[in-house]
């Protein structure tokens, strides 16, 4: 396994350093408040959020390939952690932090295995449809979890439905000063997003709320604050848990890895394409592995290639990982000298920031487009979202993966099929394969729109039998348009050979057109070539039709 260090950093020039330094300073100003919100989602001590944007950022800058990807805390993985680990330990406790650290360490190991075996392609099995539904469900779940902080009531349940019930039961104990702070923060950040998106409005709101809390003595009015947090750089140590606890958190780490690979790959590809750059996905996986190992050693939680933070860095002019190095430097300064003021930060402010992050996870534009273009996929997305909210994040991600695979199998099981028909100009056009139709008297050109495998072979053979039986003229020539068939498995080959034996008894001559080298190898191996005859396999449809037309004495104008 060859390792190329600083792939996302080089080459550096004086101009690029100045540009990316400015981007890094701006990114720090805008992203630190958001990361504190992610920490709130993960139910971790507030300082650990700052740890996610220190050593992990530097680790990915050294080992990763993408010049744009920002690897830090992320809402989706933070929600997975809170959902999976809260039943095992008290949030923010030493045991909880140790379990979260072990998830990061296990994720690092799993990502390293994915790099060694080049398993980055597995992310492709999580379809965009269910990923949108999954993230929407996570957004709704996170938004519900913030209700207690926003309203100033205590919520202890981990289940979203129970959280709503607890809030409703305490409706008479809502803290009006806390609600007022929440509304001011939501309004301020919302206004900033709409009218001043390039300004660090969240940072201004956070600093303003800290100042107001300190001078206005918010705690005297029942407004809860973060409280004292330790300063200084993180100490390095391995999380200490038992073997039994390790086995309990292993599924959580697997869920995080699926999201990490899927989101990171999509973000890295998208921005590399935008800037016409190449990206080494395996190097990125190695970078993500080292970044999560750094997270585990520094006592924080899983990090991920964040789509939203990457988009923010790109909009600020970032073009290399030097931006992230600068970002990490700013965080080091905050950890060393500026943690004391954070103690006065109201929980309602963090809750409002997290609420806005959660709402941003619900991609309404894509959901509307999905409903318009494909009702079935829209329903799949909704099912995934509802599962996340009702059953939990772990169950939602499992369902997302299963639905993605089932959707693929469904399309392969019921592919589009067609009969090729000539138009007045002599062009061959595909029309739905409807019984009672043929291509020409005596000729049927049939297209099957998927690979042939054990689940769809009977659909293939039964439809061919029906088309021949109900054709308006006796079929003497049958051409299979194999342009969509790249593979035939053993089960399908047996069914195809049985069909061909029947058709030969009916004096139907069979040809294959538009075959690929891979399909030819499968046909040779399964004995199909021996039955059809080498001379009846064609690379082009034109050549196959030319030979059949000669046999049927078709007019040259019908070619």
């Amino acid at each position: 396994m060859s390792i190329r260090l600083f792939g996302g950093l080089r080459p550096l020039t004086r101009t690029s350093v100045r540009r990316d330094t400015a981007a890094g300073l701006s990114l720090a100003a805008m992203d630190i408040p958001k990361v504190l919100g992610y920490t709130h989602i993960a139910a971790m001590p507030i300082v650990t959020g700052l740890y996610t944007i220190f050593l992990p950022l530097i680790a990915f800058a050294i080992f990763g390939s993408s010049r744009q990807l920002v690897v830090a805390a992320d809402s989706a993985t933070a929600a997975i952690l809170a959902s999976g680990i809260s039943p095992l330990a008290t949030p923010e406790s030493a045991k909880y932090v140790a379990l979260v650290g072990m998830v990061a360490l296990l994720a690092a190991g799993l990502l390293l295995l994915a790099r060694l075996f080049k398993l980055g392609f597995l992310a492709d099995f999580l379809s965009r449809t269910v990923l949108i539904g999954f993230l929407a469900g996570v957004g709704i779940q996170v938004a519900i979890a913030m209700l207690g902080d926003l309203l100033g009531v205590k919520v202890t349940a981990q289940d979203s439905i129970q959280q709503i019930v607890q809030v409703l039961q305490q409706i008479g104990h809502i803290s009006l000063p806390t609600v007022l702070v929440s509304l001011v923060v939501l309004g301020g950040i919302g206004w900033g997003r709409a009218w001043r998106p390039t300004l660090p409005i969240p940072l201004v709101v956070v600093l303003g709320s800290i100042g107001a809390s300190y001078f206005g003595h918010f705690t005297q009015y029942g407004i809860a604050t973060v409280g004292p947090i330790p300063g200084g750089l993180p100490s390095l140590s391995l999380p200490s848990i038992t073997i039994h606890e390790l086995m309990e958190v292993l599924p959580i780490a697997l869920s995080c890895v699926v999201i990490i690979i899927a989101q990171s790959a999509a973000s890295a590809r998208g921005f590399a394409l935008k800037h016409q750059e190449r990206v080494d996905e395996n190097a990125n996986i190695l970078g993500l592995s080292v970044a999560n190992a750094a997270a585990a050693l520094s006592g924080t939680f899983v990090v991920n290639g964040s789509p939203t933070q990457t988009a923010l860095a790109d909009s600020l002019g970032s073009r290399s990982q030097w931006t992230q190095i600068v970002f990490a430097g700013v965080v080091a300064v905050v950890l060393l000298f500026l943690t004391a003021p954070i103690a006065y930060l109201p929980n309602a402010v963090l809750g409002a920031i997290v609420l806005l992050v959660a709402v941003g996870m619900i991609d309404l534009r894509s959901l509307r487009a999905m409903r318009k273009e494909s009702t079935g996929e829209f329903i799949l997305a909704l099912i995934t979202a509802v599962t996340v909210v009702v059953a939990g994040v772990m169950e939602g991600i499992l369902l997302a993966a299963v639905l993605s695979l089932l959707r693929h199998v469904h399309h392969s099981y019921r592919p589009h099929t067609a009969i090729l028909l000539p138009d007045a100009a002599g062009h061959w056009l595909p029309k739905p394969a409807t019984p009672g139709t043929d291509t020409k008297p005596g000729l049927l050109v049939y297209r099957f729109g998927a690979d042939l495998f054990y689940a769809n072979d009977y659909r293939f053979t039964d439809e061919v039998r029906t088309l021949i039986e109900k054709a308006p003229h006796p079929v003497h020539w049958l051409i299979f348009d194999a342009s969509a068939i790249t593979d035939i498995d053993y089960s399908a080959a047996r069914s195809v050979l049985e069909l061909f034996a029947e058709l030969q008894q009916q004096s139907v001559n069979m040809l294959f057109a538009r075959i690929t080298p891979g399909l030819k190898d499968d046909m040779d191996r399964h004995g199909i070539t021996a039955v059809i005859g080498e001379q009846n396999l064609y690379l082009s449809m034109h050549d196959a039709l030319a030979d059949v037309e000669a046999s049927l004495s078709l007019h040259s104008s019908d070619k």
Side-chain angles (χ1 to χ4, degrees):
M1 180 178 68
S2 61
I3 299 176
R4 182 174 181 267
L5 302 181
F6 300 104
L9 198 62
R10 299 180 296 181
L12 281 177
T13 65
R14 184 175 300 177
T15 300
S16 67
V17 166
R18 284 199 300 265
R19 178 196 62 217
D20 290 343
T21 296
L25 294 173
S26 299
L27 181 63
M30 301 180 74
D31 223 27
I32 286 176
K34 186 180 294 185
V35 169
L36 296 179
Y38 294 151
T39 311
H40 208 46
I41 295 173
M44 285 284 284
I46 199 73
V47 73
T48 62
L50 297 175
Y51 295 165
T52 65
I53 44 178
F54 182 47
L55 294 183
L57 272 179
I58 297 172
F60 185 82
I62 295 173
F63 289 92
S65 163
S66 172
R67 299 179 65 81
Q68 288 82 31
L69 192 65
V70 178
V71 174
D74 180 70
S75 52
T77 47
I80 292 173
L81 291 173
S83 174
I85 298 182
S86 292
L88 306 179
T90 303
E92 298 191 30
S93 66
K95 175 57 68 177
Y96 187 94
V97 173
L99 292 173
V100 167
M102 182 52 68
V103 170
L105 194 59
L106 287 172
L110 292 168
L111 287 165
L112 181 60
L113 288 176
R115 168 63 185 92
L116 291 173
F117 293 100
K118 299 181 178 180
L119 300 180
F121 70 91
L122 291 176
D124 297 333
F125 286 92
L126 196 61
S127 72
R128 183 183 296 269
T129 298
V130 295
L131 187 58
I132 289 171
F134 169 76
L135 292 176
V138 170
I140 295 170
Q141 186 192 59
V142 169
I144 292 172
M146 293 302 105
L147 291 176
D149 288 334
L150 294 170
L151 301 176
V153 296
K154 189 172 182 60
V155 176
T156 57
Q158 302 301 322
D159 176 77
S160 295
I161 305 301
Q162 290 299 317
Q163 288 171 345
I164 294 175
V165 171
Q166 285 189 350
V167 170
L168 292 176
Q169 289 174 341
Q170 301 177 74
I171 201 74
H173 299 87
I174 289 177
S175 168
L176 293 180
T178 301
V179 173
L180 180 61
V181 170
S182 301
L183 292 175
V184 169
V185 172
L186 290 171
I189 296 179
W191 175 85
R193 284 184 175 181
W195 300 102
R196 296 291 187 272
T198 59
L199 295 180
I201 299 298
L203 180 64
V204 173
V205 170
V206 167
L207 293 177
S209 64
I210 289 174
S213 175
Y214 176 77
F215 292 106
H217 306 288
F218 276 14
T219 54
Q220 296 181 5
Y221 301 96
I223 301 173
T225 59
V226 169
I229 62 174
L233 300 180
S235 57
L236 302 182
S237 63
L238 285 171
S240 177
I241 66 173
T242 65
I243 296 296
H244 174 70
E245 290 169 337
L246 185 147
M247 298 308 296
E248 284 187 310
V249 300
L250 180 58
I252 303 171
L254 284 168
S255 299
C256 288
V257 166
V258 172
I259 291 297
I260 289 169
I261 292 178
Q263 286 196 342
S264 301
S267 300
R269 288 176 191 169
F271 285 95
L273 182 64
K274 175 181 177 181
H275 297 289
Q276 298 180 334
E277 296 172 349
R278 296 184 63 184
V279 61
D280 184 343
E281 292 181 8
N282 289 313
N284 281 343
I285 291 176
L286 177 61
L288 289 163
S289 173
V290 178
N292 275 285
L297 292 174
S298 57
T300 189
F301 52 98
V302 167
V303 293
N304 183 17
S306 174
T308 54
Q309 295 182 74
T310 303
L312 176 60
D314 184 73
S315 69
L316 294 172
S318 171
R319 295 297 178 268
S320 79
Q321 289 294 324
W322 181 255
T323 298
Q324 276 60 264
I325 298 292
V326 173
F327 186 2
V330 173
V331 172
V333 173
V334 173
L335 286 169
L336 288 170
F337 306 110
L338 300 176
T339 53
I342 299 176
Y344 296 95
L345 179 65
N347 287 337
V349 175
L350 283 180
I353 292 173
V354 172
L355 178 66
L356 292 171
V357 171
V359 171
M361 296 174 70
I362 305 172
D363 191 348
L364 293 176
R365 180 180 299 177
S366 293
L367 287 170
R368 283 194 295 265
M370 206 182 298
R371 184 181 64 179
K372 180 180 180 180
E373 297 173 25
S374 176
T375 303
E377 293 185 72
F378 175 70
I379 292 173
L380 286 181
L382 288 185
I383 291 173
T384 305
V386 171
T387 302
V388 170
V389 175
V390 175
V393 175
M394 298 286 291
E395 292 78 4
I397 195 170
L398 177 62
L399 180 68
V402 171
L403 288 179
S404 295
L405 291 173
L406 287 178
R407 177 173 170 267
H408 170 73
V409 172
H410 174 76
H411 283 298
S412 298
Y413 175 66
R414 300 179 64 92
H416 295 294
T417 59
I419 294 176
L420 268 62
L421 300 174
D423 64 6
H427 301 119
W428 295 89
L429 303 177
K431 300 294 183 182
T434 305
T437 306
D438 57 13
T439 301
K440 290 279 189 179
L443 170 63
L444 182 66
V445 181
Y446 174 71
R447 175 186 293 172
F448 190 77
D451 290 336
L452 286 169
F453 68 113
Y454 65 90
N456 67 12
D457 56 351
Y458 286 108
R459 299 187 65 83
F460 173 82
T461 55
D462 288 349
E463 186 166 60
V464 170
R465 290 188 182 101
T466 301
L467 290 172
I468 290 177
E469 178 184 342
K470 298 185 179 297
H473 308 92
V475 176
H476 299 297
W477 291 91
L478 173 61
I479 300 178
F480 293 100
D481 179 351
S483 56
I485 303 175
T486 61
D487 179 80
I488 301 178
D489 72 4
Y490 175 83
S491 298
R494 303 279 73 77
S495 299
V496 168
L497 288 171
E498 292 171 3
L499 171 68
F500 289 176
E502 294 177 24
L503 296 180
Q504 285 176 336
Q505 290 180 356
Q506 299 174 30
S507 301
V508 176
N509 300 292
M510 292 166 288
L511 291 76
F512 271 80
R514 296 176 178 168
I515 63 168
T516 62
L519 177 60
K520 175 64 164 54
D521 290 343
D522 282 350
M523 296 175 72
D524 293 345
R525 184 172 63 256
H526 294 306
I528 297 175
T529 302
V531 172
I532 293 289
E534 189 86 32
Q535 72 280 5
N536 290 325
L537 303 180
Y538 295 84
L539 294 177
S540 72
M541 180 62 71
H542 176 81
D543 292 340
L545 287 169
D547 286 355
V548 171
E549 287 173 346
S551 299
L552 291 175
S553 300
L554 296 176
H555 298 296
S556 59
S557 61
D558 292 331
K559 293 180 181 180

